[in-house]
Amino acid sequence: MSSLLPDNAPPPPAAPATMDAPPAGPQAQPAFLLDVRSFAEFMSGHLPGAHCLPLPQLEARMRELCPDLAREIVVYCSSGARAELALATLRRLGYDRARYGGAARELAHSLHVTLIPGM
């Protein structure tokens, strides 16, 4: 299974754990990319494979979007501020493997991907 980061890439700033190791185990999944910006912001450019769940809807809809509490989640937004708030909410909801991804542009740069517009 491929990882989110190439082997030589540094982790995103302020990430408590690296995301450069391949997922372990036969049924491991890649990290769940969670964009907590508004839908309009998401449509203007997001990471490939990311899911849009605006911060005001996070608590009510996260279990619907990602029912696996053990899945690694990388949360990001425009500047990192909403991602920090979202991270606290995710941890309170039981998502212990949630990680701070920071700002969309910086995270895309560190992952060596381009933000894509639209769906």
Side-chain angles (χ1 to χ4, degrees):
M1 191 145 304
S2 67
S3 70
L4 280 175
L5 293 174
D7 290 337
N8 62 350
T18 63
M19 295 179 293
D20 57 353
Q27 296 181 356
Q29 301 175 3
F32 185 92
L33 294 173
L34 181 62
D35 187 324
V36 294
R37 299 176 297 165
S38 71
F39 188 66
E41 289 172 294
F42 179 84
M43 292 295 287
S44 72
H46 59 276
L47 282 114
H51 300 269
C52 181
L53 185 55
L55 184 59
Q57 299 173 18
L58 182 65
E59 191 163 354
R61 296 198 52 229
M62 186 61 195
R63 298 240 178 178
E64 164 191 332
L65 197 58
C66 182
D68 182 1
L69 294 176
R71 186 156 180 200
E72 183 176 13
I73 298 170
V74 178
V75 60
Y76 71 92
C77 64
S78 292
S79 68
R82 285 176 281 183
E84 284 188 39
L85 294 171
L87 182 60
T89 300
L90 290 169
R91 295 238 171 100
R92 187 171 38 78
L93 292 173
Y95 293 94
D96 295 330
R97 295 191 63 215
R99 305 285 179 254
Y100 175 75
R105 289 188 192 281
E106 286 79 13
L107 181 57
H109 184 280
S110 71
L111 295 174
H112 305 287
V113 298
T114 302
L115 296 177
I116 54 174
M119 293 296 292

